[in-house]
Amino acid sequence: QVQLVESGGGLVQAGGSLRLSCAASGRSFSINSMDWYRQAPGKQRDLVASITGGTITNNGDSVKGRFTISRDNAKNTVYLQMNSLKPEDTAVYYCHTIVRGIEYWGQGTQVTVSS
C-alpha cells in the first residue's frame, strides 16, 4: 500500500506562484515514477508532469516553462512548482504513482487562479 497526500493548493492571482507537495508513505521505497495530474470542472484528468528517477517530463505546451516537477527522495516527496499562473490553470491537482501495477492517487488539492 502507498498513501499519497497533497498539499499547497489555494487561491492565487494570475501571474502568481504556488508550490504543491505530495508526500508518499507506505511502500514508498518502491516508487520510481511519480506524476502530477489536474482536472478542471467538466473536463478530463490530464497529465501535467512526470518524474522517473531523475528524468523529468512536462506534458503539454500549456505548462512548459512555467511548471517544474522535482522530488526529494529523502523525504519521499514530489513537488510541483507553478509560476506565472493563469486562470486556465484552475483545477484540482492530483499526485499519482503506479507501484507493482497498482495505481495510487492522492485526494487532490484545489488550485484556483483569479484573473
Side-chain angles (χ1 to χ4, degrees), residues 21-58:
S21 300
C22 173
S25 60
R27 295 182 63 87
S28 55
F29 58 87
S30 299
I31 295 175
N32 184 35
S33 178
M34 296 189 75
D35 321 294
W36 284 99
Y37 282 75
R38 68 184 181 184
Q39 187 168 21
K43 297 188 176 181
Q44 67 182 20
R45 192 170 296 187
D46 292 326
L47 179 65
V48 175
S50 295
I51 185 164
T52 300
T55 302
I56 296 171
T57 303
N58 289 332

Side-chain angles (χ1 to χ4, degrees), residues 28-115:
S28 55
F29 58 87
S30 299
I31 295 175
N32 184 35
S33 178
M34 296 189 75
D35 321 294
W36 284 99
Y37 282 75
R38 68 184 181 184
Q39 187 168 21
K43 297 188 176 181
Q44 67 182 20
R45 192 170 296 187
D46 292 326
L47 179 65
V48 175
S50 295
I51 185 164
T52 300
T55 302
I56 296 171
T57 303
N58 289 332
N59 189 69
D61 292 336
S62 62
V63 303
K64 285 181 180 178
R66 299 189 299 122
F67 290 12
T68 302
I69 189 171
S70 63
R71 68 193 297 173
D72 184 333
N73 290 328
K75 296 182 179 180
N76 293 323
T77 300
V78 65
Y79 304 97
L80 185 67
Q81 178 67 43
M82 306 186 294
N83 299 326
S84 302
L85 283 160
K86 304 175 181 180
E88 51 264 43
D89 295 319
T90 295
V92 178
Y93 285 71
Y94 296 92
C95 185
H96 168 266
T97 190
I98 299 176
V99 176
R100 296 188 178 185
I102 300 173
E103 278 194 295
Y104 297 93
W105 293 92
Q107 82 286 355
T109 185
Q110 176 71 47
V111 172
T112 303
V113 185
S114 63
S115 58

